[in-house]
Amino acid sequence: MTRLKTAALMLATTLLTGAAASAQQADVIIKGGTIYDGGTGKPFVGDVAIKGDRILYVGPDSPLRAAQTVDAKGMIVSPGLIDAHSHPDTYILSPDAKVRVNAPWTRQGVSTILVGVDGYGTPDIADYAAQRTKAGVGTNLVPMIGFGAVRQHVLGQDARAPDAAELDRMKALVAKGMCEGAVGLSTGLFYPPQSFAKTEEVIAVAREAAIRGGLYDTHQRDESSYTIGLKGSVQEVLRIGREAGMPVHFAHIKALGVDVQGQAPKIIAMIEAARKAGQDVTADQYPWLASGSSLEASLLPGWSVDGGAKKMLERFADAPTMARIRTEMEKNMRRRGGPGKMLLISAGFDWTGKTLEQMAAAWHLDPLDAALKIITQDANSDDKHYGGAIASFNMIDADVDLFMKQPWVVTSSDGSDGHPRQFATFAEKYAQYVQKRHVIDLATFIRQSTGRTADIYRLDHRGYLRSGYYADVAVIDPTHYAPRADYVHPRELSVGVRQLYVNGRLTVDSDANTGTLAGRVLLRPAPKACPAH
Ligand SMILES: [Zn+2]
């Protein structure tokens, strides 16, 4: 080692010790909180110092001076929480800056969210990043390319395989998105038109993300017993990972519906076996017994919506076809536990907050006809006010609890409009699963919502309270942190976040947004297999 290098190394070492750090000035010191740093170590009482957008110091008794001190005695001090799967467009795309603070998330202490999930993310990542950056947003955004967006761009809604030229165009779009900084490829193979894609097509397209260092993040083809079944679907995901050569991540892992409830141990065994064989397999999960879906997606057979709303209505009008649709709808209804397990949650309708069973009784209709009435009304309606959203009560505690305890499972909200998980997932998990039912402990909850998630998505210098990392920091009051939203009142903000810093800037202060839009679009550096290299 040269003398210069040795000196540099010594200097770097000294900077980490208190002696040299004491000469420095921090912007903010969060003092005396119980620090959960996002890793596997034990929590400890200490200080976190922030300067600019970075963490300057984490440890006991900070020797630094600061312009501002936050007393965090008795508080949880953790990395800003990370949401592995979310649908925040209502907020982050709003023309109103007050909405773009992204309060449903920031008021839970969430600083970073994964977007473009379920196959819906645009492949125009650079464009997306430029627009979000220009407008400003309250949380960091980590974009994924959506297989569905790519497929639709090339094939529309068609239920067919691409020809060679079309497949090449799809691959090129994924390559472009990866080169522009996406973290990976998301799919939602449950949803048409993505469901029309065969496994081989998905592998071919996913490989473009794989060779550029991306992961495969999937709302799998079947979480229930709709088509290939939950186990068959898990096998498909594992196969895609193996053959495309990339890490695979199950979005909102669950056993959905009466046919597969209780299968969590089997699914976990399949994933454990793959992990033992060297495959990189992880998952995220939301802490709710009801999934969010739509009447259309949960009841109608996939083929009946092929080609879009107009074609669907044509099939409804054709008696023999409609008879076939009804037969399949009946099966799907049974799978979902019946109309009493479907809560209608689209806001502003006669049926908001009622079950499909209740609405059918009120209309003196068979439940299938009540569902078709809403679906048809939606299909005929020009405005974007969609009436068919449901909370579908289809999971059991035993499965949810067991998935939650796996070291490869992290927290996600899947937060979509009208389901309380958008406003309350992290607070709900803390209140129900940590405090009330003791399914996991507090340190596990925080690790699953910070460091572990950052590892899965390979977020650069995020997810941990460490010197030199970005200053995404949450100060949470353990006695007040709680959800306020429920299924019938899904849009109540959670409470108990004392402070949230995003990139070093105060974003939430005592349960109120400051108005700061400090979020960034977190792009990965261009991988080797890109034009610039
Ligand atoms: Zn999904």
Side-chain angles (χ1 to χ4, degrees), residues 235-435:
Q235 270 160 5
E236 182 188 38
V237 175
L238 297 175
R239 181 188 158 199
I240 291 168
R242 277 194 314 268
E243 294 187 19
M246 68 206 297
V248 289
H249 181 85
F250 290 87
H252 43 60
I253 196 164
K254 63 171 85 75
L256 177 92
V258 294
D259 293 339
V260 299
Q261 280 166 5
Q263 285 190 4
K266 284 181 195 155
I267 301 309
I268 289 166
M270 289 169 73
I271 292 175
E272 286 290 350
R275 287 171 57 87
K276 281 212 182 78
Q279 226 185 320
D280 188 344
V281 188
T282 55
D284 61 70
Q285 177 201 37
Y286 55 77
W288 305 87
L289 295 180
S291 63
S293 188
S294 66
L295 289 174
E296 203 176 293
S298 57
L299 292 177
L300 290 176
W303 57 263
S304 72
V305 296
D306 178 18
K310 199 167 154 260
K311 288 222 169 125
M312 176 187 80
L313 291 175
E314 281 167 23
R315 291 185 189 106
F316 285 4
D318 179 58
T321 312
M322 191 64 218
R324 277 176 62 209
I325 293 174
R326 288 187 71 99
T327 308
E328 296 208 31
M329 283 180 78
E330 250 160 55
K331 283 188 206 153
N332 290 339
M333 185 81 89
R334 184 201 58 78
R335 228 174 235 133
R336 295 250 168 190
K341 299 277 189 191
M342 295 183 166
L343 185 68
L344 301 163
I345 58 175
S346 287
F349 292 91
D350 296 348
W351 52 81
T352 307
K354 300 212 167 70
T355 65
L356 183 62
E357 189 172 42
Q358 288 168 331
M359 253 359 257
W363 287 333
H364 306 289
L365 286 176
D366 175 89
L368 285 190
D369 290 313
L372 285 165
K373 179 180 160 130
I374 297 172
I375 291 169
T376 307
Q377 183 173 322
D378 276 333
N380 281 319
S381 145
D382 284 337
D383 67 31
K384 291 219 166 118
H385 194 187
Y386 177 71
I390 61 169
S392 174
F393 287 79
N394 274 298
M395 284 162 266
I396 57 172
D397 281 325
D399 288 331
V400 173
D401 293 1
L402 196 60
F403 280 129
M404 195 178 286
K405 289 177 186 166
Q406 305 310 310
W408 39 267
V409 172
V410 298
T411 315
S412 66
S413 70
D414 198 13
S416 50
D417 207 31
H419 191 298
R421 63 192 183 194
Q422 188 171 51
F423 280 69
T425 279
F426 292 83
E428 175 82 6
K429 188 166 175 176
Y430 172 74
Q432 284 294 325
Y433 291 83
V434 177
Q435 287 204 299

Side-chain angles (χ1 to χ4, degrees), residues 122-155:
T122 172
D124 294 325
I125 298 292
D127 217 45
Y128 178 86
Q131 285 179 34
R132 300 284 67 75
T133 304
K134 185 164 174 246
V137 60
T139 46
N140 298 312
L141 306 175
V142 183
M144 285 190 262
I145 304 157
F147 175 72
V150 166
R151 194 176 206 275
Q152 205 155 337
H153 191 84
V154 176
L155 293 174

Side-chain angles (χ1 to χ4, degrees), residues 85 118 191 219 252 414:
H85 190 98
D118 289 342
Y191 299 107
H219 178 150
H252 43 60
D414 198 13

Side-chain angles (χ1 to χ4, degrees), residues 43-257:
F44 60 95
V45 172
D47 305 338
V48 175
I50 297 171
K51 186 176 179 65
D53 65 355
R54 300 282 182 150
I55 295 170
L56 196 57
Y57 175 90
V58 181
D61 300 320
S62 164
L64 298 164
R65 287 172 298 120
Q68 206 196 340
T69 302
V70 173
D71 178 10
K73 227 168 269 137
M75 299 293 123
I76 296 165
V77 180
S78 86
L81 308 183
I82 303 173
D83 186 346
H85 190 98
S86 76
H87 300 275
D89 283 0
T90 308
Y91 299 91
I92 63 173
L93 303 186
S94 169
D96 184 347
K98 288 195 197 75
V99 178
R100 289 199 309 278
V101 301
N102 210 7
W105 278 268
T106 48
R107 298 285 276 280
Q108 297 183 70
V110 174
S111 60
T112 300
I113 58 187
L114 274 288
V115 296
V117 300
D118 289 342
Y120 295 121
T122 172
D124 294 325
I125 298 292
D127 217 45
Y128 178 86
Q131 285 179 34
R132 300 284 67 75
T133 304
K134 185 164 174 246
V137 60
T139 46
N140 298 312
L141 306 175
V142 183
M144 285 190 262
I145 304 157
F147 175 72
V150 166
R151 194 176 206 275
Q152 205 155 337
H153 191 84
V154 176
L155 293 174
Q157 298 282 327
D158 294 357
R160 65 177 176 88
D163 64 26
E166 287 165 339
L167 187 63
D168 279 345
R169 281 168 63 204
M170 288 168 67
K171 287 160 73 172
L173 284 171
V174 173
K176 167 185 140 69
M178 287 305 300
C179 291
E180 291 178 358
V183 72
L185 180 73
S186 80
T187 67
L189 299 187
F190 174 67
Y191 299 107
Q194 299 182 64
S195 56
F196 305 138
K198 296 232 162 62
T199 311
E200 292 74 18
E201 174 189 329
V202 181
I203 291 168
V205 174
R207 201 168 278 141
E208 296 300 313
I211 58 177
R212 294 171 181 84
L215 95 165
Y216 179 80
D217 186 304
T218 186
H219 178 150
Q220 57 181 318
R221 199 181 289 276
D222 196 349
E223 297 178 318
S224 186
S225 57
Y226 280 104
T227 50
I228 56 174
L230 176 58
K231 278 184 264 177
S233 181
V234 169
Q235 270 160 5
E236 182 188 38
V237 175
L238 297 175
R239 181 188 158 199
I240 291 168
R242 277 194 314 268
E243 294 187 19
M246 68 206 297
V248 289
H249 181 85
F250 290 87
H252 43 60
I253 196 164
K254 63 171 85 75
L256 177 92

Side-chain angles (χ1 to χ4, degrees), residues 429-476:
K429 188 166 175 176
Y430 172 74
Q432 284 294 325
Y433 291 83
V434 177
Q435 287 204 299
K436 193 170 168 207
R437 296 185 46 234
H438 307 288
V439 175
I440 52 168
D441 64 15
L442 176 56
T444 303
F445 164 62
I446 290 176
R447 171 139 179 82
Q448 288 180 338
S449 311
T450 57
R452 188 72 184 90
T453 319
D455 294 346
I456 289 171
Y457 293 99
R458 281 172 288 170
L459 304 184
D460 182 29
H461 286 80
R462 308 266 175 189
Y464 294 90
L465 295 181
R466 285 180 189 157
S467 167
Y469 273 52
Y470 288 98
D472 296 338
V473 186
V475 182
I476 294 170

